Each structure stands twice: as structure tokens, then as C-alpha cells.
């Protein structure tokens, strides 16, 4: 018996030693990739986690993975998580619930009849049909006295459930809905519902003139905190200490392609984009300027990248550079898994 009890700890020591050497090897392969990434001038930070452990991270031009960054529209993925939890808790009936009944006091005086057909799901997948509050309309929208009413008063550019019309007004309406139904701020809900995930923390978050937290924009958190959120999704909604925070079925629904971006052709679900990179399915949140949260379930990989918020990543080509950087990281991980 003493012989067998001796072999058990030796076995686990060997497994740990092999895993440690493998992680060290991956870190060595990632090092030159992150060195090269410094050439991407807008890039501020990169954090890479493989199978739950951070294996490489880097800050550029005075920035750090531990410092707060404005993650911009990458926060739409967090808003989606809050909606999914709210449905699971019975705060919302489901994605088919009509928003007109949830925001009756904010409807226009003479509303377009199609407002009665817009659902929670339409807001999540950017298929409300309402005119966009992003892009050229963004400045006028955030300068209004009431962002919720201004978003609901936008003329329809398509039918509810039609083409994807990317609009931050849609996710802000979700923030307003959660605030009205719970009587609590979305920041308080995020801290209660997602806070148990070790490492998750929201440092700051802007509010509209009525005090509603800005659903889907102007959220500050460290790259490591955003990574913790991504890890929650990679693990099926289960926190690092084993608590089911986000329903697994909600993650599956969020990662189901429901429409596609007219700008990139990438699929879009509930607050998440999706595309194939390096032969794998990749789900990602994307914020203006190049604030990226990538989850690659097939490789056990979660990657965060933050960038300068003062220039558009799409038109400048920086977004494509970040996708390419992820591809190089994935190739390094693929080499590790062989």
C-alpha cells in the first residue's frame, strides 16, 4: 500500500511538470509574435489565456493589461450577458417579449405601428429596424435630452427582424429596460450577477441624462477584467469557482448566427460577432478603435486586445490587423496542441 500511495503523488507531479513545460513552450512561441505586434501603432495591450491560464500579455506605449481602458462597444457582449441572466431570473419573459410594453412612457406621441413589433431579441441582434444611432447619427443622439426616447423616435429604415442595422441605441434601450424592471442600475446588476467571476470588474461607466448606464458603450475596465468575462463564456457560463453565472443555453443562443454585418460579412448573434480565423470558429466582441475580446472554444483560447479609441479600426484596416494577429496566436497554440 505504501508503494501505491507513493506513486500517486509522483504521477501528479509528472503531469504538473509536463503541463508547466508546455505552458513555458507556448509562452516562448508567443513572445516574438507580441514583439512584432508593437508595429501596430494603435495597439495598447494584448492578453492571451490558454485553458484558463494567462500565458502571455504585453502593454505597449505606456499601457498595461492591468490599467483601465475604454472597451467601447465590446461592452455590448456584457449587456447581452445581463439580458440573458435577467431572462433566467424571470425579470424578462424572453427574447420574444415586445419592448413597447416595457418602455410605454418613452414611446413617441404618434408612434410608428412597427414599434409594437420590436422585441428584446431584435435589439440584441441589431434587427430592430429603427434608424441607427451609431455612425453619422451618434453625435446628435448623445446630444439629445433623453437618449431612450430619441432612440425610440428614430424613423424605421427596415422592418423589425430585417437586416442588421448596427446601433448603440438598441443596446441602450436594453439597459433602460433592465433599469426600469429591476429598479436598480445596470452597473449594480453587473456587479452582482457577473462580479462573482474572479477578476471581473467595471472601473467606470458613463450614464445618460436620466442616469441610465450607457448600454453598449463607454465602459472602462482593464484588459484582464475583460479577459475574465471572456473566460466566463469560454467555460459555458461557469465562474472560476464553479458557479453558473450565465446560463449555458444563453451562450449558445448568443453565438448563433442571426444576421450579418453589411460592412464585414461577419455573422452576428446576441451581442457577439463571429467568423472563421485560422480554421476555427471565433466569437468576438468589437469596440471602436480596436477593443477586441476573442473567444476560440476549439482551442481553449481567450484573447483581449485594446487600442487607441480615437480612430476607426474598420476603415483604417487596424481591425483586420488584429484579426491577423489573433491568427498568428492561434497558429502558435495549434503548434502547442499537436
Amino acid at each position: 500500500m505504501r508503494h501505491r500511495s507513493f506513486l500517486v503523488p509522483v504521477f501528479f507531479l509528472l503531469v504538473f511538470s509536463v503541463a508547466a513545460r508546455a505552458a513555458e513552450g507556448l509562452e516562448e512561441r508567443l513572445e516574438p509574435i507580441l514583439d512584432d505586434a508593437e508595429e501596430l501603432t494603435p495597439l495598447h495591450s494584448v492578453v492571451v489565456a490558454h485553458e484558463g491560464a494567462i500565458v502571455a500579455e504585453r502593454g505597449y506605449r505606456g499601457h498595461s493589461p492591468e490599467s483601465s481602458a475604454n472597451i467601447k462597444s465590446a461592452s455590448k457582449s456584457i449587456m447581452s450577458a445581463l439580458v440573458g441572466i435577467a431572462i433566467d431570473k424571470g425579470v424578462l419573459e424572453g427574447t420574444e417579449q415586445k419592448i413597447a410594453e416595457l418602455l410605454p412612457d418613452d414611446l413617441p406621441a404618434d408612434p410608428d405601428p412597427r414599434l409594437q413589433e420590436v422585441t428584446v431579441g431584435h435589439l440584441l441582434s441589431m434587427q430592430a429596424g429603427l434608424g441607427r444611432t451609431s455612425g453619422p447619427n451618434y453625435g446628435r443622439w448623445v446630444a439629445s435630452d433623453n437618449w431612450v426616447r430619441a432612440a425610440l423616435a428614430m424613423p424605421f429604415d427596415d422592418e423589425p427582424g430585417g437586416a442588421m442595422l448596427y446601433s448603440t441605441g438598441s443596446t441602450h434601450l436594453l439597459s433602460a429596460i433592465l433599469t426600469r424592471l429591476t429598479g436598480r442600475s445596470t452597473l449594480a446588476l453587473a456587479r452582482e450577477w457577473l462580479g462573482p467571476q474572479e477578476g471581473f470588474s467595471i472601473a467606470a461607466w458613463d450614464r445618460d441624462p436620466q442616469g441610465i448606464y450607457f448600454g453598449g458603450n463607454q465602459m472602462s475596465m482593464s484588459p484582464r477584467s475583460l479577459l475574465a468575462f471572456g473566460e466566463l463564456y469560454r467555460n459555458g457560463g461557469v465562474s472560476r469557482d464553479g458557479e453558473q453565472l450565465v446560463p449555458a443555453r444563453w451562450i449558445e443562443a448568443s453565438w448563433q448566427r442571426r444576421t450579418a454585418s453589411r460592412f464585414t460579412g461577419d455573422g452576428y448573434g446576441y451581442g457577439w460577432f463571429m467568423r472563421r480565423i485560422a480554421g476555427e470558429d471565433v466569437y468576438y466582441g468589437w469596440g471602436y478603435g480596436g477593443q477586441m475580446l476573442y473567444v476560440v472554444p476549439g482551442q481553449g483560447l481567450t484573447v483581449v486586445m485594446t487600442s487607441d479609441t480615437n480612430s476607426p479600426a474598420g476603415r483604417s484596416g487596424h481591425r483586420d490587423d488584429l484579426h491577423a494577429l489573433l491568427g498568428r496566436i492561434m497558429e502558435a497554440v495549434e503548434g502547442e496542441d499537436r
Side-chain angles (χ1 to χ4, degrees):
M1 290 297 293
R2 274 182 286 180
H3 177 66
R4 291 178 60 189
S5 64
F6 172 75
L7 288 177
V8 170
V10 168
F11 170 76
F12 283 110
L13 282 172
L14 288 172
V15 170
F16 177 80
S17 177
V18 170
R21 286 199 302 272
E24 184 177 341
L26 177 56
E27 184 177 353
E28 289 176 356
R29 285 197 300 279
L30 289 173
E31 197 71 17
I33 296 174
L34 297 191
D35 286 345
D36 292 345
E38 189 165 8
E39 296 179 7
L40 303 178
T41 305
L43 187 62
H44 286 177
S45 72
V46 179
V47 186
V48 181
H50 184 233
E51 300 297 353
I54 293 177
V55 292
E57 59 181 351
R58 188 76 63 83
Y60 304 97
R61 287 165 281 280
H63 297 275
S64 164
E66 297 177 318
S67 301
S68 290
N70 187 344
I71 66 170
K72 296 296 216 176
S73 287
S75 60
K76 288 178 171 63
S77 302
I78 296 173
M79 277 303 309
S80 174
L82 297 179
V83 171
I85 297 169
I87 292 172
D88 188 61
K89 291 180 176 293
V91 174
L92 286 165
E93 294 174 6
T95 56
E96 298 304 312
Q97 190 168 5
K98 306 292 177 62
I99 69 166
E101 67 188 46
L102 300 172
L103 297 169
D105 297 335
D106 294 299
L107 299 178
D110 185 20
D112 186 308
R114 287 173 288 187
L115 264 180
Q116 299 295 325
E117 303 305 316
V118 178
T119 67
V120 168
H122 290 149
L123 297 181
L124 286 162
S125 62
M126 301 293 173
Q127 293 176 285
L130 289 163
R132 300 171 64 227
T133 58
S134 296
N137 297 324
Y138 180 81
R140 177 165 54 89
W141 175 55
V142 295
S144 68
D145 295 333
N146 190 309
W147 298 358
V148 173
R149 292 180 181 176
L152 289 169
M154 292 293 289
F156 276 81
D157 288 341
D158 201 349
E159 299 301 312
M164 180 182 182
L165 295 170
Y166 188 88
S167 178
T168 299
S170 289
T171 40
H172 189 60
L173 291 177
L174 293 170
S175 182
I177 287 168
L178 292 180
T179 301
R180 302 279 164 77
L181 291 180
T182 64
R184 302 176 63 200
S185 74
T186 36
L187 178 58
L189 296 176
R191 286 173 172 167
E192 178 184 339
W193 293 350
L194 297 173
Q197 169 70 334
E198 181 185 352
F200 177 85
S201 177
I202 297 172
W205 194 0
D206 286 359
R207 292 187 282 181
D208 74 5
Q210 283 65 50
I212 298 168
Y213 282 93
F214 199 166
N217 201 6
Q218 300 299 98
M219 179 187 288
S220 293
M221 61 195 317
S222 72
R224 283 187 182 178
S225 290
L226 185 56
L227 184 93
F229 174 74
E231 278 288 285
L232 183 61
Y233 265 61
R234 187 186 67 80
N235 285 312
V238 178
S239 71
R240 286 169 173 161
D241 63 0
E243 183 179 356
Q244 188 79 49
L245 300 182
V246 181
R249 63 182 177 275
W250 181 254
I251 297 174
E252 293 172 6
S254 300
W255 286 354
Q256 178 182 337
R257 182 187 176 105
R258 300 175 186 280
T259 184
S261 167
R262 61 179 175 171
F263 302 109
T264 66
D266 288 356
Y268 196 72
Y270 287 157
W272 290 83
F273 289 94
M274 54 207 68
R275 69 182 289 141
R276 295 277 291 180
I277 297 178
E280 294 281 350
D281 290 328
V282 175
Y283 305 93
Y284 70 96
W286 167 25
Y288 184 87
Q291 323 313 318
M292 313 299 293
L293 167 61
Y294 295 105
V295 180
V296 191
Q299 286 193 324
L301 187 66
T302 304
V303 179
V304 167
M305 304 178 191
T306 61
S307 305
D308 185 357
T309 59
N310 294 317
S311 61
R315 291 199 300 271
S316 69
H318 182 56
R319 178 199 59 223
D320 295 334
D321 289 338
L322 298 181
H323 289 342
L325 174 57
L326 175 68
R328 291 190 64 192
I329 292 169
M330 292 172 64
E331 289 168 0
V333 172
E334 177 67 20
E336 173 66 23
D337 292 339
R338 285 181 187 147

Coordinates of all heavy atoms in Angstrom, one line a residue, residues 194-263:
L194 N -22.3 39.4 -12.4 CA -21.1 38.9 -13.0 C -19.9 39.1 -12.1 O -18.8 38.5 -12.3 CB -20.8 39.7 -14.3 CG -21.9 39.6 -15.4 CD1 -21.6 40.6 -16.6 CD2 -21.9 38.1 -15.9
G195 N -20.0 39.9 -11.0 CA -19.0 40.1 -10.1 C -18.4 38.9 -9.5 O -17.2 38.9 -9.1
P196 N -19.1 37.8 -9.2 CA -18.5 36.6 -8.7 C -17.5 35.9 -9.5 O -16.7 35.1 -9.0 CB -19.7 35.6 -8.5 CG -20.9 36.5 -8.3 CD -20.6 37.7 -9.2
Q197 N -17.4 36.3 -10.8 CA -16.3 35.8 -11.7 C -15.0 36.5 -11.2 O -14.9 37.7 -11.3 CB -16.6 36.1 -13.1 CG -15.4 35.9 -14.1 CD -15.0 34.4 -14.2 OE1 -15.2 33.6 -13.4 NE2 -14.4 34.1 -15.4
E198 N -14.1 35.7 -10.7 CA -12.8 36.3 -10.2 C -12.1 37.1 -11.3 O -12.0 36.6 -12.5 CB -11.9 35.1 -9.8 CG -10.6 35.6 -9.2 CD -9.6 34.4 -8.9 OE1 -10.1 33.3 -9.0 OE2 -8.5 34.7 -8.6
G199 N -11.8 38.3 -11.0 CA -11.1 39.2 -11.9 C -12.0 40.1 -12.7 O -11.5 41.1 -13.3
F200 N -13.3 39.9 -12.7 CA -14.2 40.8 -13.4 C -14.5 42.0 -12.6 O -14.9 41.9 -11.4 CB -15.5 40.1 -13.7 CG -16.5 40.9 -14.4 CD1 -16.5 41.1 -15.8 CD2 -17.5 41.6 -13.7 CE1 -17.4 41.9 -16.4 CE2 -18.4 42.5 -14.3 CZ -18.4 42.6 -15.7
S201 N -14.3 43.2 -13.2 CA -14.6 44.4 -12.5 C -14.8 45.5 -13.5 O -14.0 45.6 -14.5 CB -13.4 44.8 -11.6 OG -13.6 46.0 -10.9
I202 N -15.8 46.4 -13.3 CA -16.0 47.5 -14.1 C -15.5 48.7 -13.4 O -16.0 49.0 -12.3 CB -17.5 47.7 -14.5 CG1 -18.0 46.5 -15.3 CG2 -17.8 49.0 -15.2 CD1 -19.5 46.5 -15.5
A203 N -14.6 49.4 -13.9 CA -13.9 50.6 -13.2 C -14.8 51.8 -13.3 O -14.9 52.6 -12.4 CB -12.6 50.8 -13.8
A204 N -15.4 52.1 -14.5 CA -16.2 53.3 -14.7 C -17.1 53.0 -15.9 O -16.9 52.2 -16.8 CB -15.3 54.5 -15.0
W205 N -18.2 53.8 -15.9 CA -19.2 53.6 -17.0 C -20.1 54.9 -17.0 O -20.6 55.3 -16.0 CB -20.1 52.4 -16.6 CG -21.0 51.8 -17.7 CD1 -21.1 52.2 -19.0 CD2 -21.9 50.7 -17.5 NE1 -22.0 51.5 -19.6 CE2 -22.5 50.5 -18.8 CE3 -22.2 49.8 -16.5 CZ2 -23.4 49.5 -19.0 CZ3 -23.1 48.8 -16.7 CH2 -23.7 48.6 -18.0
D206 N -20.2 55.4 -18.2 CA -20.9 56.7 -18.4 C -22.4 56.4 -18.3 O -22.9 55.3 -18.5 CB -20.6 57.3 -19.8 CG -19.2 57.9 -19.9 OD1 -18.5 57.9 -18.8 OD2 -18.9 58.4 -20.9
R207 N -23.2 57.5 -18.0 CA -24.6 57.4 -17.9 C -25.3 58.5 -18.8 O -24.7 59.5 -19.2 CB -25.1 57.6 -16.5 CG -24.7 56.5 -15.5 CD -25.3 56.6 -14.2 NE -24.5 57.6 -13.4 CZ -24.9 57.9 -12.1 NH1 -25.9 57.3 -11.5 NH2 -24.2 58.8 -11.4
D208 N -26.5 58.3 -19.1 CA -27.3 59.2 -20.0 C -27.9 60.3 -19.1 O -27.7 60.3 -17.8 CB -28.3 58.5 -20.8 CG -29.6 58.0 -20.0 OD1 -29.7 58.3 -18.8 OD2 -30.4 57.4 -20.6
P209 N -28.5 61.3 -19.6 CA -29.1 62.4 -18.8 C -30.0 62.0 -17.7 O -30.2 62.7 -16.7 CB -29.7 63.3 -19.8 CG -29.0 63.1 -21.1 CD -28.7 61.6 -21.1
Q210 N -30.7 60.8 -17.9 CA -31.6 60.3 -16.9 C -30.9 59.4 -15.9 O -31.5 58.8 -15.0 CB -32.7 59.5 -17.6 CG -33.8 60.4 -18.2 CD -33.3 61.3 -19.4 OE1 -32.6 60.7 -20.3 NE2 -33.5 62.6 -19.3
G211 N -29.6 59.2 -16.0 CA -28.8 58.4 -15.1 C -28.8 56.9 -15.4 O -28.3 56.1 -14.6
I212 N -29.2 56.6 -16.6 CA -29.2 55.2 -17.1 C -27.8 54.9 -17.6 O -27.3 55.6 -18.5 CB -30.3 54.9 -18.1 CG1 -31.7 55.1 -17.6 CG2 -30.1 53.5 -18.7 CD1 -32.8 55.2 -18.6
Y213 N -27.2 53.8 -17.2 CA -25.8 53.5 -17.6 C -25.9 53.2 -19.1 O -26.8 52.5 -19.6 CB -25.2 52.3 -16.8 CG -24.7 52.8 -15.5 CD1 -25.5 52.8 -14.4 CD2 -23.4 53.4 -15.4 CE1 -25.0 53.3 -13.1 CE2 -23.0 53.8 -14.2 CZ -23.8 53.8 -13.1 OH -23.3 54.3 -11.9
F214 N -24.9 53.6 -19.8 CA -24.8 53.6 -21.3 C -24.7 52.2 -21.8 O -23.6 51.6 -21.9 CB -23.6 54.4 -21.7 CG -23.6 54.9 -23.1 CD1 -22.7 55.9 -23.5 CD2 -24.5 54.4 -24.1 CE1 -22.7 56.3 -24.9 CE2 -24.5 54.8 -25.4 CZ -23.6 55.8 -25.8
G215 N -25.8 51.6 -22.2 CA -25.8 50.3 -22.6 C -25.1 50.1 -23.9 O -25.5 50.6 -25.0
G216 N -23.9 49.5 -23.9 CA -23.2 49.1 -25.1 C -22.1 50.1 -25.5 O -21.6 50.0 -26.6
N217 N -21.7 51.0 -24.5 CA -20.6 51.9 -24.9 C -20.0 52.6 -23.6 O -20.7 52.5 -22.6 CB -21.0 53.0 -25.9 CG -19.9 53.6 -26.6 OD1 -18.7 53.2 -26.5 ND2 -20.2 54.7 -27.4
Q218 N -18.8 53.2 -23.8 CA -18.2 54.0 -22.7 C -18.1 53.3 -21.4 O -18.4 53.8 -20.3 CB -19.0 55.3 -22.5 CG -19.1 56.2 -23.8 CD -17.7 56.6 -24.3 OE1 -17.1 56.0 -25.2 NE2 -17.2 57.7 -23.7
M219 N -17.7 52.0 -21.4 CA -17.4 51.2 -20.2 C -15.9 51.1 -20.1 O -15.2 50.7 -21.0 CB -18.1 49.9 -20.3 CG -17.9 49.0 -19.1 SD -18.5 47.3 -19.3 CE -20.3 47.6 -19.2
S220 N -15.4 51.3 -18.9 CA -13.9 51.2 -18.7 C -13.7 50.0 -17.8 O -14.3 49.8 -16.7 CB -13.4 52.4 -18.0 OG -13.4 53.5 -18.9
M221 N -12.7 49.2 -18.2 CA -12.3 48.0 -17.4 C -10.9 47.7 -17.9 O -10.5 48.0 -19.0 CB -13.2 46.8 -17.5 CG -13.4 46.3 -18.9 SD -14.9 45.2 -19.0 CE -14.8 44.2 -17.5
S222 N -10.1 46.9 -17.1 CA -8.8 46.5 -17.5 C -8.9 45.4 -18.5 O -9.9 44.6 -18.5 CB -8.0 46.1 -16.3 OG -8.4 44.8 -15.9
P223 N -7.9 45.3 -19.4 CA -7.9 44.1 -20.3 C -8.0 42.8 -19.6 O -8.7 41.9 -20.1 CB -6.6 44.3 -21.0 CG -6.3 45.7 -21.0 CD -6.8 46.2 -19.7
R224 N -7.4 42.7 -18.4 CA -7.5 41.4 -17.7 C -8.9 41.2 -17.2 O -9.4 40.0 -17.2 CB -6.6 41.5 -16.4 CG -5.1 41.2 -16.8 CD -4.3 41.1 -15.5 NE -2.9 41.0 -15.8 CZ -1.9 40.9 -14.8 NH1 -2.3 41.0 -13.5 NH2 -0.7 40.7 -15.1
S225 N -9.7 42.2 -16.8 CA -11.1 42.1 -16.4 C -11.9 41.6 -17.6 O -12.8 40.8 -17.4 CB -11.6 43.4 -15.8 OG -11.0 43.7 -14.6
L226 N -11.7 42.2 -18.8 CA -12.4 41.8 -20.0 C -12.1 40.4 -20.3 O -13.0 39.6 -20.7 CB -12.1 42.7 -21.1 CG -12.8 42.5 -22.4 CD1 -14.3 42.6 -22.2 CD2 -12.4 43.5 -23.5
L227 N -10.8 40.0 -20.1 CA -10.5 38.6 -20.3 C -11.2 37.7 -19.4 O -11.7 36.6 -19.8 CB -9.0 38.4 -20.1 CG -8.5 37.0 -20.4 CD1 -8.0 36.9 -21.8 CD2 -7.3 36.6 -19.4
A228 N -11.4 38.1 -18.1 CA -12.2 37.3 -17.1 C -13.6 37.0 -17.6 O -14.2 36.0 -17.5 CB -12.1 37.9 -15.8
F229 N -14.2 38.1 -18.2 CA -15.5 37.9 -18.8 C -15.5 37.0 -19.9 O -16.4 36.1 -20.0 CB -16.1 39.3 -19.2 CG -17.4 39.2 -20.0 CD1 -18.5 39.0 -19.3 CD2 -17.4 39.4 -21.3 CE1 -19.8 38.8 -19.9 CE2 -18.6 39.2 -22.0 CZ -19.8 39.0 -21.3
G230 N -14.5 37.1 -20.8 CA -14.4 36.1 -21.9 C -14.3 34.7 -21.5 O -14.8 33.8 -22.0
E231 N -13.5 34.5 -20.4 CA -13.3 33.2 -19.9 C -14.6 32.6 -19.3 O -14.8 31.4 -19.4 CB -12.2 33.2 -18.8 CG -10.8 33.2 -19.3 CD -10.4 31.9 -19.8 OE1 -10.2 30.9 -19.0 OE2 -10.4 31.7 -21.0
L232 N -15.4 33.5 -18.8 CA -16.7 33.0 -18.3 C -17.5 32.4 -19.4 O -18.1 31.3 -19.3 CB -17.5 34.2 -17.7 CG -18.8 33.9 -17.1 CD1 -18.7 33.0 -15.9 CD2 -19.5 35.2 -16.6
Y233 N -17.5 33.0 -20.6 CA -18.2 32.5 -21.8 C -17.5 31.2 -22.3 O -18.2 30.3 -22.7 CB -18.3 33.6 -22.8 CG -19.7 34.3 -22.8 CD1 -20.0 35.0 -21.6 CD2 -20.6 34.3 -23.8 CE1 -21.2 35.7 -21.6 CE2 -21.8 34.9 -23.8 CZ -22.1 35.6 -22.6 OH -23.3 36.3 -22.6
R234 N -16.2 31.2 -22.3 CA -15.5 30.0 -22.8 C -15.8 28.8 -22.0 O -15.9 27.7 -22.5 CB -14.0 30.3 -22.8 CG -13.2 29.2 -23.5 CD -11.7 29.4 -23.3 NE -11.2 29.3 -22.0 CZ -11.0 28.1 -21.4 NH1 -11.2 27.0 -22.0 NH2 -10.6 28.1 -20.1
N235 N -16.1 29.0 -20.7 CA -16.4 27.9 -19.8 C -17.8 27.7 -19.6 O -18.3 27.1 -18.6 CB -15.7 28.2 -18.4 CG -14.2 28.0 -18.4 OD1 -13.8 27.0 -18.9 ND2 -13.5 29.0 -17.9
G236 N -18.6 28.1 -20.6 CA -20.1 27.8 -20.6 C -20.9 28.5 -19.5 O -21.9 28.0 -19.1
G237 N -20.3 29.7 -19.1 CA -21.0 30.5 -18.1 C -20.7 30.2 -16.7 O -21.3 30.8 -15.7
V238 N -19.8 29.2 -16.5 CA -19.4 28.8 -15.1 C -18.2 29.6 -14.7 O -17.2 29.7 -15.4 CB -19.1 27.3 -15.1 CG1 -18.6 26.9 -13.7 CG2 -20.3 26.5 -15.5
S239 N -18.3 30.2 -13.5 CA -17.2 31.0 -13.0 C -16.0 30.2 -12.6 O -16.1 28.9 -12.5 CB -17.7 31.8 -11.7 OG -17.9 30.9 -10.6
R240 N -14.9 30.8 -12.2 CA -13.7 30.1 -11.9 C -13.8 29.3 -10.6 O -13.1 28.3 -10.4 CB -12.5 31.1 -11.7 CG -12.0 31.6 -13.1 CD -11.1 32.8 -13.0 NE -10.5 33.1 -14.3 CZ -10.0 34.3 -14.5 NH1 -9.9 35.2 -13.6 NH2 -9.5 34.5 -15.7
D241 N -14.8 29.6 -9.8 CA -15.0 28.9 -8.5 C -16.2 27.9 -8.7 O -16.7 27.4 -7.7 CB -15.2 29.8 -7.3 CG -16.4 30.7 -7.4 OD1 -17.2 30.6 -8.4 OD2 -16.7 31.4 -6.4
G242 N -16.7 27.7 -9.9 CA -17.7 26.7 -10.2 C -19.2 27.1 -10.1 O -20.1 26.3 -10.2
E243 N -19.4 28.4 -10.1 CA -20.8 28.9 -10.0 C -21.3 29.2 -11.4 O -20.6 29.9 -12.2 CB -20.9 30.2 -9.1 CG -22.3 30.7 -8.9 CD -22.3 31.9 -8.0 OE1 -21.2 32.3 -7.5 OE2 -23.4 32.5 -7.9
Q244 N -22.5 28.8 -11.7 CA -23.1 29.0 -13.0 C -23.7 30.5 -13.0 O -24.7 30.7 -12.4 CB -24.3 28.1 -13.3 CG -24.8 28.2 -14.7 CD -23.9 27.5 -15.8 OE1 -23.5 26.3 -15.6 NE2 -23.6 28.2 -16.9
L245 N -23.0 31.4 -13.6 CA -23.4 32.8 -13.6 C -24.2 33.2 -14.9 O -25.2 33.9 -14.7 CB -22.2 33.7 -13.6 CG -21.2 33.5 -12.4 CD1 -20.1 34.5 -12.4 CD2 -22.0 33.7 -11.1
V246 N -23.8 32.7 -16.0 CA -24.6 32.9 -17.3 C -25.1 31.6 -17.7 O -24.3 30.6 -17.8 CB -23.7 33.6 -18.3 CG1 -24.5 33.8 -19.6 CG2 -23.0 34.8 -17.9
P247 N -26.4 31.5 -18.0 CA -26.9 30.2 -18.5 C -26.2 29.7 -19.7 O -26.0 30.5 -20.7 CB -28.4 30.5 -18.8 CG -28.7 31.7 -17.9 CD -27.4 32.5 -17.9
A248 N -25.8 28.4 -19.7 CA -25.1 27.9 -20.9 C -25.9 28.0 -22.2 O -25.4 28.3 -23.2 CB -24.7 26.4 -20.6
R249 N -27.3 27.8 -22.0 CA -28.1 27.9 -23.2 C -28.1 29.3 -23.7 O -28.4 29.5 -24.9 CB -29.5 27.4 -22.9 CG -30.3 28.3 -21.8 CD -31.6 27.7 -21.5 NE -32.3 28.5 -20.5 CZ -32.1 28.2 -19.2 NH1 -31.3 27.3 -18.8 NH2 -32.8 28.9 -18.3
W250 N -27.9 30.3 -22.9 CA -27.8 31.7 -23.4 C -26.6 31.9 -24.2 O -26.6 32.6 -25.2 CB -27.9 32.7 -22.2 CG -27.9 34.1 -22.7 CD1 -26.8 35.0 -22.7 CD2 -28.9 34.8 -23.4 NE1 -27.2 36.2 -23.3 CE2 -28.5 36.1 -23.7 CE3 -30.2 34.4 -23.7 CZ2 -29.3 37.0 -24.4 CZ3 -31.0 35.4 -24.4 CH2 -30.6 36.6 -24.7
I251 N -25.5 31.4 -23.8 CA -24.3 31.5 -24.6 C -24.4 30.8 -25.9 O -24.1 31.4 -27.0 CB -23.1 30.9 -23.8 CG1 -22.8 31.6 -22.5 CG2 -21.8 30.8 -24.7 CD1 -21.8 31.1 -21.6
E252 N -25.1 29.7 -26.0 CA -25.4 29.0 -27.2 C -26.2 29.9 -28.1 O -26.0 30.0 -29.3 CB -26.0 27.7 -27.0 CG -25.1 26.6 -26.3 CD -25.9 25.4 -25.9 OE1 -27.1 25.3 -26.2 OE2 -25.3 24.5 -25.2
A253 N -27.3 30.5 -27.5 CA -28.1 31.4 -28.3 C -27.4 32.6 -28.8 O -27.6 33.1 -29.9 CB -29.4 31.8 -27.5
S254 N -26.5 33.2 -28.0 CA -25.8 34.4 -28.3 C -24.8 34.1 -29.4 O -24.5 35.0 -30.2 CB -25.0 34.9 -27.1 OG -25.9 35.2 -26.1
W255 N -24.3 32.9 -29.5 CA -23.3 32.5 -30.5 C -23.9 31.9 -31.8 O -23.2 31.3 -32.6 CB -22.2 31.6 -29.9 CG -21.3 32.3 -29.0 CD1 -21.2 33.7 -28.8 CD2 -20.2 31.7 -28.2 NE1 -20.2 34.0 -27.9 CE2 -19.6 32.8 -27.5 CE3 -19.8 30.4 -28.0 CZ2 -18.5 32.6 -26.7 CZ3 -18.8 30.2 -27.2 CH2 -18.1 31.3 -26.5
Q256 N -25.2 32.0 -31.9 CA -25.9 31.5 -33.1 C -26.0 32.6 -34.1 O -26.5 33.7 -33.7 CB -27.3 31.0 -32.7 CG -28.1 30.5 -33.9 CD -29.5 30.1 -33.4 OE1 -29.8 29.7 -32.3 NE2 -30.5 30.1 -34.4
R257 N -25.6 32.4 -35.3 CA -25.7 33.5 -36.3 C -27.1 33.8 -36.6 O -27.9 32.9 -37.0 CB -24.9 33.0 -37.6 CG -24.9 34.0 -38.7 CD -24.3 33.3 -40.0 NE -24.3 34.2 -41.1 CZ -23.3 34.8 -41.6 NH1 -22.1 34.6 -41.0 NH2 -23.4 35.7 -42.6
R258 N -27.5 35.0 -36.5 CA -28.9 35.5 -36.7 C -28.9 36.5 -37.8 O -30.0 36.7 -38.5 CB -29.4 36.1 -35.4 CG -29.5 35.1 -34.3 CD -29.9 35.7 -33.0 NE -29.8 34.6 -31.9 CZ -30.7 33.7 -31.7 NH1 -31.8 33.6 -32.5 NH2 -30.4 32.7 -30.8
T259 N -27.8 37.2 -38.1 CA -27.8 38.2 -39.2 C -26.3 38.3 -39.5 O -25.5 37.6 -39.0 CB -28.4 39.5 -38.7 OG1 -28.4 40.4 -39.8 CG2 -27.7 40.1 -37.6
A260 N -26.0 39.3 -40.3 CA -24.6 39.6 -40.7 C -24.3 41.0 -40.9 O -25.2 41.8 -41.3 CB -24.2 38.8 -41.9
S261 N -23.1 41.4 -40.6 CA -22.7 42.8 -40.8 C -22.6 43.1 -42.3 O -22.0 42.4 -43.1 CB -21.3 43.1 -40.2 OG -20.8 44.3 -40.6
R262 N -23.2 44.2 -42.7 CA -23.1 44.6 -44.1 C -21.7 45.2 -44.4 O -21.4 45.4 -45.6 CB -24.2 45.7 -44.5 CG -24.1 47.0 -43.7 CD -25.1 48.0 -44.1 NE -25.1 49.2 -43.2 CZ -25.9 50.2 -43.5 NH1 -26.6 50.3 -44.6 NH2 -25.8 51.3 -42.7
F263 N -20.9 45.5 -43.4 CA -19.6 46.1 -43.6 C -18.5 45.0 -43.7 O -17.6 45.2 -44.5 CB -19.3 47.0 -42.5 CG -20.2 48.1 -42.3 CD1 -21.1 48.2 -41.2 CD2 -20.3 49.2 -43.2 CE1 -22.0 49.2 -41.0 CE2 -21.2 50.2 -43.1 CZ -22.0 50.2 -42.0

